[in-house]
């Protein structure tokens, strides 16, 4: 990348992100996509619950989809570092639009649970590929010192869209059925793909060209490519510890959405509209966390910000099952989502800051694959236990485990305040 003169760097740093055309279009595309995603977040579990009445079935579908995402994550980084990232983002959006559009079409002739076990894993696999690509292109849109700010802005507006999305999803699901809400998600992917067609990424093909040349010279280097991301994580003390800690966190929390919906519908006897409202309130927590993460990290440093956020997540998970009112559940959901967003933005920004450009896709893929590896099993176990023993004791056990994990993080290099700075 061409070095900028000091006055150019100052001007670029001072310009608000929303005035950068390419970042603004990318920002808008992802915000619209999240509106649709929030429809599916509520509608898909409701489809299963309406047809089967079983939270265990909800958890099993989440586990199967998570397993597909896990498998896709193994290869996603290699593809991201070899292919044109802009075209890959568009292709993923188009594929998800077509997959999720099948749900309302088929459901018009009657519930078909088996279809969800086919389409949702495929959609999640493509979604994992999109997510890995998404992380790599942020650094091609903003300067390195604004990565955390950019991630915070993307997460904040996505969460703001997530306030409107669940409210509308609850109304649509209650009036037209959950299948229609999935159709809105499909349409949002089409809009996102169209917007991405107008985005230009700076130096977005540099890693692609070199990796593509390597692929032509040595087409059987897949195993070495996969190991490259793992090797970088293993060699970086903070990322290595984060990977292990987040594996436990994902195991404990992947099934939380299913648990939350089951608690509202089964234990508290609430409607689909109330479920949407609770998720909308939860999104307010995500907005708050996304807006606060950059200044809080600057003031406290990485370690205190990350460990504190995870500890509050644990307390919120423990409180959800015991909350006997819709208000209480909504407050706990907002606390969890807000702090989960803070922790997630911190860890994602750190990877973007310390990883070389040509390895960013493979490192991101390896990180998510490893820390997500036990999550599908955790989702199935959490929902099975909730159906057998109730949401309160299961939530308490999962939350206490999250708090313990945050305490253990203080004994690892994760506690460092400035791990992004060279020693």
């Amino acid at each position: 990348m061409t070095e900028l003169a000091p006055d150019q760097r100052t001007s670029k740093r001072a310009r608000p992100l929303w005035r950068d055309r390419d970042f603004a279009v990318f920002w808008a595309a992802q915000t619209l996509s999240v509106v649709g995603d929030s429809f599916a977040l509520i509608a898909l579990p409701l489809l299963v619950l309406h047809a089967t009445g079983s939270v265990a079935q909800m958890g099993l579908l989440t586990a199967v989809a998570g397993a597909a995402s896990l498998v896709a994550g193994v290869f996603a980084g290699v593809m991201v570092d070899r292919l044109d990232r802009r075209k890959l983002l568009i292709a993923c959006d188009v594929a998800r639009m077509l997959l999720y559009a099948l749900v309302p079409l088929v459901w018009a002739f009657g519930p078909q649970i088996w279809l969800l076990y086919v389409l949702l894993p495929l959609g999640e696999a493509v979604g994992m590929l999109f997510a890995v690509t998404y992380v790599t292109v942020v650094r091609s849109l903003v300067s390195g010192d604004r990565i955390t700010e950019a991630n915070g802005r993307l997460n904040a507006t996505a969460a703001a869209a997530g306030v409107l999305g669940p409210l509308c999803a609850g109304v649509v699901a209650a009036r037209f059925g959950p299948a229609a809400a999935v159709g809105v998600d499909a349409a949002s992917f089409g809009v996102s793909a169209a917007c991405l067609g107008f985005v230009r990424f700076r130096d977005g093909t540099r890693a692609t060209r070199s990796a593509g040349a390597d692929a032509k010279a040595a087409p059987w280097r897949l195993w070495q490519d996969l190991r490259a991301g793992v090797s970088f994580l293993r060699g970086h003390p903070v990322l290595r510890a984060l990977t292990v800690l987040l594996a436990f966190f994902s195991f404990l929390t992947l099934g939380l959405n299913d648990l939350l919906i089951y608690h509202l519908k089964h234990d508290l006897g609430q409607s689909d509209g109330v479920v949407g409202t609770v998720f909308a309130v939860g999104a307010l927590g995500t907005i708050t966390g996304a807006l606060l993460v950059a200044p809080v990290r600057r003031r406290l440093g990485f370690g205190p910000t990350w460990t504190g956020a995870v500890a509050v997540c644990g307390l919120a998970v423990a409180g959800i099952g015991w909350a006997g009112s819709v208000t209480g559940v909504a407050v706990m959901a907002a606390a969890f989502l807000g702090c989960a967003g803070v922790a997630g933005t911190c860890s994602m920004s750190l990877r973007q800051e310390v990883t070389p450009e040509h390895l960013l896709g493979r490192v991101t893929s390896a990180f998510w694959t490893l820390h997500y590896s036990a999550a599908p099993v955790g989702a199935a176990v959490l929902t099975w236990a909730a159906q057998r023993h109730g949401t309160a004791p299961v939530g308490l056990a999962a939350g206490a485990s999250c708090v313990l994990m945050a305490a253990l993080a203080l004994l690892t290099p994760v506690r460092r305040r400035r791990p992004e700075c060279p020693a």
Side-chain angles (χ1 to χ4, degrees), residues 114-173:
W114 65 268
L115 181 67
L116 298 182
Y117 281 92
V118 175
L119 295 182
L120 188 57
L122 290 174
E124 288 295 306
V126 177
M128 171 59 80
L129 179 57
F130 181 93
V132 173
T133 313
Y134 171 93
V135 171
T136 64
V137 301
V138 171
R139 199 163 71 178
S140 297
L141 289 169
V142 299
S143 56
D145 60 339
R146 305 194 75 178
I147 288 177
T148 301
E149 180 188 357
N151 287 329
R153 294 296 182 270
L154 287 165
N155 291 340
T157 52
V163 174
L164 177 63
L167 289 171
C168 295
V171 173
V172 172

Side-chain angles (χ1 to χ4, degrees), residues 104-370:
L105 291 176
V106 173
W107 236 257
F109 301 96
Q112 301 291 336
I113 295 298
W114 65 268
L115 181 67
L116 298 182
Y117 281 92
V118 175
L119 295 182
L120 188 57
L122 290 174
E124 288 295 306
V126 177
M128 171 59 80
L129 179 57
F130 181 93
V132 173
T133 313
Y134 171 93
V135 171
T136 64
V137 301
V138 171
R139 199 163 71 178
S140 297
L141 289 169
V142 299
S143 56
D145 60 339
R146 305 194 75 178
I147 288 177
T148 301
E149 180 188 357
N151 287 329
R153 294 296 182 270
L154 287 165
N155 291 340
T157 52
V163 174
L164 177 63
L167 289 171
C168 295
V171 173
V172 172
R175 185 174 179 83
F176 303 104
V182 179
V184 175
D185 188 29
S188 74
F189 289 127
V191 175
S192 176
C195 291
L196 287 171
F198 295 97
V199 179
R200 298 164 299 183
F201 297 108
R202 296 184 292 273
D203 297 319
T205 58
R206 175 173 293 183
T208 300
R209 286 169 182 162
S210 61
D214 290 342
K216 292 177 182 177
W220 302 106
R221 290 184 57 195
L222 176 61
W223 177 243
Q224 288 86 343
D225 283 336
L226 294 175
R227 288 180 58 189
V230 176
S231 296
F232 184 86
L233 292 175
R234 187 173 56 199
H236 194 286
V238 180
L239 294 184
R240 180 174 64 239
L242 270 178
T243 304
V244 176
L245 292 168
L246 282 171
F248 288 102
F249 187 76
S250 298
F251 177 89
L252 294 167
T253 60
L254 180 62
L256 187 62
N257 281 342
D258 295 333
L259 194 69
L260 185 62
I261 291 173
Y262 182 74
H263 182 53
L264 289 168
K265 296 284 293 181
H266 180 268
D267 299 338
L268 302 183
Q270 300 298 320
S271 66
D272 293 351
V274 171
V275 172
T277 301
V278 168
F279 273 80
V281 173
L284 292 174
T286 307
I287 297 172
T288 303
L291 292 175
L292 292 177
V293 60
V296 170
R297 183 183 170 185
R298 280 195 299 267
R299 183 175 181 83
L300 301 181
F302 176 86
T305 302
W306 190 89
T307 53
V310 171
V312 176
C313 282
L315 296 175
V317 171
I320 285 176
W322 293 96
S325 67
V326 172
T327 301
V329 174
V331 170
M332 293 297 104
F336 173 82
L337 291 173
C339 291
V342 168
T345 300
C346 281
S347 63
M348 181 171 65
S349 299
L350 180 64
R351 288 197 313 275
Q352 293 167 324
E353 290 162 352
V354 304
T355 305
E357 177 66 33
H358 70 283
L359 281 175
L360 188 54
R362 282 166 284 179
V363 169
T364 300
S365 177
F367 182 86
W368 281 354
T369 299
L370 292 172

